[in-house]
């Protein structure tokens, strides 16, 4: 079976979200079922899913059984289904891991929409079309089934309920995740998004999809949530304690990478103009409201840092020197935070220049605050520490307004935020000035280390490899 696919874009950029050209694509959806020792449930699951898709899904589909190192009769059942049903393909991997299986199959599939679900079919299949529809239409980048959002109907024991809700609270508290359910085995992703995200995901087990979601959310991609009907499988083989421990290790690893800037999320940026907040409207300064909120938040934290440093330095030196040192340290932190959080400039490009310009703005603030301290000293002789702090707060308010105007108009002007490349590790594509392209063979274009059974010469390029008989 041949499939006409839209051209793939370079790994350094993502195309604007658009409705898929459905008339040109034979296989729109590839549903992966990762399995390990599921000889009892596999066949009824696959037949039920195929019947449902044939009856309700209006486009071409494929069901891929990803057998990861089963030791029972699961490979034989998968091979039999592969032979009996045209829409079913079986893939055999020799190592365990749900994430490993998904990454291997998704990396090889050329379907524009990729999904996966657990073999027990705990999630009602009526949620499948609402799950993938926003990806087909171009509205969203990823979609997840949620058992914790309003409208979901869930039947499960208190132990699993407690673990699931606790885990999602941990994600919200530690990684600032905004999606409601990371663990539901019912997710989908657009193909071009998977091609960019998969090389960044390290986990090969149960934490795989959580890591995928966190990276996507931090990169600014849109995640659609579908409330699902879900009934717990009493025969589930998931080891809760071990899985929870692995998930917590994954949370720590991803949190540390995000905190240290170790993940090149800039490479997932959409082209400028894909986000409606990028649009210019007459009489409405672009992004002003969002920038003001970010600037105020950064400014509040910077002021607290500045006052704390001033009080600390004041213990060992005079007011003027303590003010200059505190203002310098807080100004460097303020410029870096505003660069990334308020004005959305990422990567290392022009970072030194921005800090130098920030120091000029700092000098203006220094003149204002030092002048205020000097005026206080001239007016009343020896001033109390409380009076010094009050004068500095007032002077900093004036300096803050001036700092925002200078940042917006001079340090991070709108044209520069559009033109600056996100990362200089590869050449910049003329079609996408915000993201680099990476030539074939570079570190970013290499596929995952884990792979499925080698592709058979007689298979179509679209078909994932069949299992070893």
């Amino acid at each position: 079976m041949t499939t006409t696919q839209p051209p793939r874009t370079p790994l350094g950029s993502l195309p604007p979200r658009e409705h898929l050209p459905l008339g040109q694509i034979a296989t729109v959806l590839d549903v992966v079922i990762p399995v390990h020792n599921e000889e009892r449930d596999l066949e009824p699951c696959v037949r039920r899913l195929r019947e449902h898709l044939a009856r309700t899904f209006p486009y071409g589909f494929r069901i891929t059984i990803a057998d990861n190192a089963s030791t029972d009769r699961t490979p034989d059942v998968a091979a039999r289904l592969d032979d009996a049903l045209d829409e079913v393909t079986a893939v055999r991997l020799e190592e365990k891991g749900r994430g490993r299986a998904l990454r291997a199959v998704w990396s090889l599939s050329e379907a524009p929409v990729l999904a996966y679900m657990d073999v027990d079919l705990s999630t009602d299949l009526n949620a499948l079309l609402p799950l993938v529809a926003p990806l087909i239409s171009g509205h969203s980048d990823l979609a997840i089934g949620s058992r914790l959002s309003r409208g979901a109907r869930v039947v499960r024991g208190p132990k699993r309920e407690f673990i699931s809700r606790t885990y999602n609270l941990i994600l919200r508290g530690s990684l600032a995740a905004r999606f409601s359910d990371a663990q539901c085995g019912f997710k989908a992703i657009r193909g071009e998004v998977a091609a960019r995200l998969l090389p960044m995901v390290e986990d090969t087990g149960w934490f795989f999809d959580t890591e995928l979601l966190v990276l996507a959310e931090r990169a600014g991609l849109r995640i659609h949530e579908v409330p699902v009907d879900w009934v717990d499988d009493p025969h589930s083989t998931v080891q809760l304690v071990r899985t929870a421990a692995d998930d917590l290790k994954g949370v720590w690893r991803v949190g540390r990478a995000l905190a240290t800037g170790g993940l090149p999320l800039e490479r997932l940026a959409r082209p400028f103009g894909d986000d409606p907040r990028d649009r210019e409207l007459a009489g409405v300064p672009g992004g002003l409201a969002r920038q003001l909120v970010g600037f105020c938040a950064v400014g509040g934290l910077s002021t607290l840092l500045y006052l704390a440093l001033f009080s600390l330095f004041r213990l060992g030196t005079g007011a003027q020197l303590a003010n200059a040192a505190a203002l310098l340290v807080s100004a460097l932190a303020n410029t870096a935070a505003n660069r990334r959080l308020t004005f959305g400039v990422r990567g290392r490009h022009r970072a030194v220049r921005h800090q130098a310009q920030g120091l000029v703005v700092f000098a203006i603030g220094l003149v204002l605050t030092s002048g205020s301290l000097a005026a206080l000293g001239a007016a009343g002789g020896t001033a109390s520490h409380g009076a010094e702090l009050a004068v500095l707060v007032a002077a900093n308010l004036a300096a803050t307004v001036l700092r925002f105007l200078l940042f917006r108009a001079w340090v991070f002007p709108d044209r520069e935020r559009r033109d600056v490349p996100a990362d200089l590790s590869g050449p910049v594509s003329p079609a996408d000035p915000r993201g680099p392209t990476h030539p074939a063979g570079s570190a970013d274009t290499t596929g995952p280390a884990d792979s499925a059974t080698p592709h058979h010469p007689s298979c179509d390029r679209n078909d994932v490899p069949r299992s070893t008989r």
Side-chain angles (χ1 to χ4, degrees):
M1 176 177 63
T2 4
T3 302
T4 305
Q5 293 290 340
R8 295 281 188 179
T9 57
L11 287 182
S13 63
L14 280 171
R17 282 188 297 261
E18 294 178 352
H19 197 292
L20 294 173
L22 298 173
Q24 306 170 27
I25 304 174
T27 303
V28 172
L29 174 66
D30 190 351
V31 183
V32 181
I33 303 176
V35 291
H36 175 74
N37 291 345
E38 297 286 355
E39 61 180 4
R40 183 174 61 88
D41 294 334
L42 180 56
E43 183 163 359
C45 159
V46 170
R47 291 189 177 277
R48 180 181 161 200
L49 175 60
R50 176 186 173 275
E51 190 276 330
H52 176 84
L53 286 169
R55 182 168 45 85
T56 64
F57 193 69
Y59 311 112
F61 65 89
R62 177 170 59 231
I63 301 170
T64 302
I65 304 168
D67 170 29
N68 45 325
S70 291
T71 56
D72 62 359
R73 293 183 55 256
T74 297
D76 298 331
V77 176
R80 187 168 66 247
L81 289 168
D82 188 335
D83 290 335
L85 304 173
D86 291 338
E87 301 89 350
V88 175
T89 300
V91 176
R92 167 74 177 181
L93 292 97
E94 299 303 329
E95 293 182 86
K96 286 181 61 176
R98 181 179 68 174
R100 177 178 284 108
L102 289 176
R103 180 162 52 191
V105 176
W106 281 355
S107 297
L108 291 170
S109 177
E110 296 220 6
V113 178
L114 309 168
Y116 94 88
M117 62 181 63
D118 292 335
V119 69
D120 55 19
L121 294 186
S122 295
T123 305
D124 183 60
L125 291 177
N126 287 326
L128 183 55
L129 186 56
L131 184 81
V132 301
L135 308 186
I136 293 173
S137 71
H139 175 270
S140 301
D141 298 295
L142 299 90
I144 64 173
S146 175
R147 300 161 297 183
L148 303 178
S149 63
R150 183 175 298 177
R153 300 170 182 175
V154 176
V155 178
R156 62 175 166 182
K159 181 179 178 181
R160 283 181 175 269
E161 181 77 10
F162 173 78
I163 291 175
S164 181
R165 291 189 178 274
T166 301
Y167 179 61
N168 283 282
L169 285 175
I170 291 172
L171 291 180
R172 287 176 178 268
S174 59
L175 300 178
R178 295 189 299 274
F179 46 86
S180 66
D181 191 351
Q183 293 178 309
C184 183
F186 196 73
K187 296 182 175 70
I189 185 171
R190 282 179 68 108
E192 76 271 10
V193 176
R196 277 48 159 208
L197 271 176
L198 291 178
M200 299 183 188
V201 179
E202 292 185 22
D203 193 80
T204 58
W206 291 95
F207 187 69
F208 169 87
D209 39 355
T210 299
E211 186 172 353
L212 188 79
L213 289 172
V214 170
L215 298 185
E217 189 174 73
R218 288 300 186 97
L221 303 183
R222 177 175 286 158
I223 300 174
H224 177 73
E225 294 198 15
V226 178
V228 297
D229 296 347
W230 194 87
V231 179
D232 190 15
D233 177 15
H235 305 293
S236 174
T237 57
V238 178
Q239 300 175 10
L240 294 179
V241 176
R242 180 178 175 182
T243 301
D246 290 343
D247 286 346
L248 291 176
K249 291 177 185 176
V251 169
W252 168 256
R253 174 176 53 78
V254 172
R256 183 177 56 187
L258 291 172
T260 58
L263 293 166
L265 298 180
E266 310 84 24
R267 297 173 189 168
L268 297 174
R270 292 282 182 184
F272 189 88
D274 184 65
D275 190 324
R277 293 171 296 184
D278 296 334
R279 298 172 188 168
E280 293 184 1
L281 300 177
V284 180
L288 178 59
R290 180 176 48 171
Q291 290 171 5
L292 278 172
V293 171
F295 185 80
C296 288
V298 171
L301 294 174
S302 297
T303 301
L304 293 176
L305 174 64
Y306 163 74
L307 293 174
L309 290 173
F310 175 79
S311 298
L312 179 63
F313 295 154
R314 189 68 176 86
L315 297 175
T317 186
Q320 291 288 5
L321 187 56
N323 171 62
L327 198 57
L328 174 61
V329 175
S330 60
L332 292 173
N334 181 279
T335 301
N338 275 308
R339 182 178 187 271
R340 173 66 179 85
L341 302 176
T342 303
F343 297 99
V345 179
R346 302 178 179 182
R348 300 180 300 274
H349 188 59
R350 296 179 183 170
V352 175
R353 174 185 163 185
H354 292 154
Q355 282 291 357
Q357 291 174 305
L359 288 177
V360 175
V361 178
F362 148 75
I364 297 173
L366 180 61
V367 170
L368 283 174
T369 53
S370 297
S372 301
L373 282 175
L376 178 64
T382 304
S384 67
H385 183 61
E388 290 177 344
L389 288 179
V391 167
L392 287 174
V393 168
N396 265 292
L397 287 175
T400 296
V401 175
L402 183 60
R403 187 184 302 121
F404 177 74
L405 296 176
L406 288 173
F407 272 177
R408 182 176 170 82
W410 179 49
V411 183
F412 308 111
D414 184 63
R415 57 179 170 73
E416 180 173 304
R417 295 197 302 274
R418 296 187 189 195
D419 296 339
V420 63
D423 196 327
L424 295 184
S425 57
V428 179
S429 167
D432 182 8
R434 286 180 57 190
T437 58
H438 299 276
S442 69
D444 295 302
T445 57
T446 54
D450 309 302
S451 59
T453 305
H455 189 75
H456 194 279
S458 64
C459 293
D460 239 279
R461 185 173 183 272
N462 298 326
D463 296 330
V464 294
R466 292 177 177 267
S467 61
T468 306
R469 300 290 192 265

